[in-house]
Amino acid sequence: MNPADANPAELQPEPAQAAATPEVELKLAPQPLSLSQEAPGDLQAPSTTPASSGASGFQSGGIRELLQQLGVFQSASLEQLLPALQILGLAVVAGVGLKLTGAVLGAINELPLLGQLLQLVGLVAALRFLARNALHQQKRAALLARIEQIKTNLLG
């Protein structure tokens, strides 16, 4: 039977069915919070003694101890972490630089004829470099010696 064809009186629930559903009322009493209880596992509640390091309120090494308890920080000192943070910072800076360079080159490439003109300029510069340094045997040997010197200086 189609619900649109039904009489509205037939769609109403019977009073006996509606009253048969019992209402459940939940009453939860608030539990008192105690800071003196120990935390589950290896973690301990922080001490409530004031810090002796001044008005800042932090214990010396408190963050390091917390991270060691959580198993996140395994280093003995923050100075050991400094080189890794420097490398991470350089990687972020390099990534941002590459993203900006790509955006600028993409914008230049969208300008009519400017991208092709810059490609032609690069091709001419490369051909001039090769003609000046690679065609003659003496200049080619000097260029290869210079490249080898730069490589040993950089790589050790």
Side-chain angles (χ1 to χ4, degrees):
M1 177 167 118
N2 190 358
D5 296 336
N7 188 0
E10 292 177 3
L11 295 177
Q12 298 294 330
E14 295 180 15
Q17 289 177 345
T21 313
E23 290 187 23
V24 177
E25 187 175 319
L26 296 176
K27 292 183 180 181
L28 298 175
Q31 297 292 325
L33 179 63
S34 173
L35 295 178
S36 64
Q37 294 176 347
E38 291 187 13
D42 294 332
L43 297 176
Q44 299 295 323
S47 64
T48 57
T49 59
S52 61
S53 63
S56 66
F58 289 112
Q59 294 178 353
S60 62
I63 294 174
R64 185 171 13 132
E65 291 174 11
L66 176 65
L67 291 174
Q68 284 177 345
Q69 284 181 354
L70 292 175
V72 174
F73 187 68
Q74 299 295 330
S75 179
S77 68
L78 293 176
E79 288 80 22
Q80 293 176 350
L81 203 57
L82 189 61
L85 291 176
Q86 287 176 339
I87 291 172
L88 181 65
L90 287 174
V92 168
V93 168
V96 169
L98 286 173
K99 187 75 170 174
L100 286 174
T101 302
V104 168
L105 290 176
I108 288 173
N109 199 26
E110 292 295 320
L111 296 173
L113 294 177
L114 189 59
Q116 289 83 7
L117 179 66
L118 290 176
Q119 285 178 353
L120 182 62
V121 168
L123 181 63
V124 168
L127 289 175
R128 286 188 67 209
F129 176 80
L130 288 174
R132 195 176 45 213
N133 292 316
L135 289 180
H136 302 301
Q137 198 265 339
Q138 291 174 340
K139 290 183 179 179
R140 189 170 50 242
L143 177 66
L144 291 175
R146 174 91 172 125
I147 290 172
E148 189 66 31
Q149 179 188 10
I150 290 172
K151 188 168 63 171
T152 56
N153 286 343
L154 289 177
L155 299 177

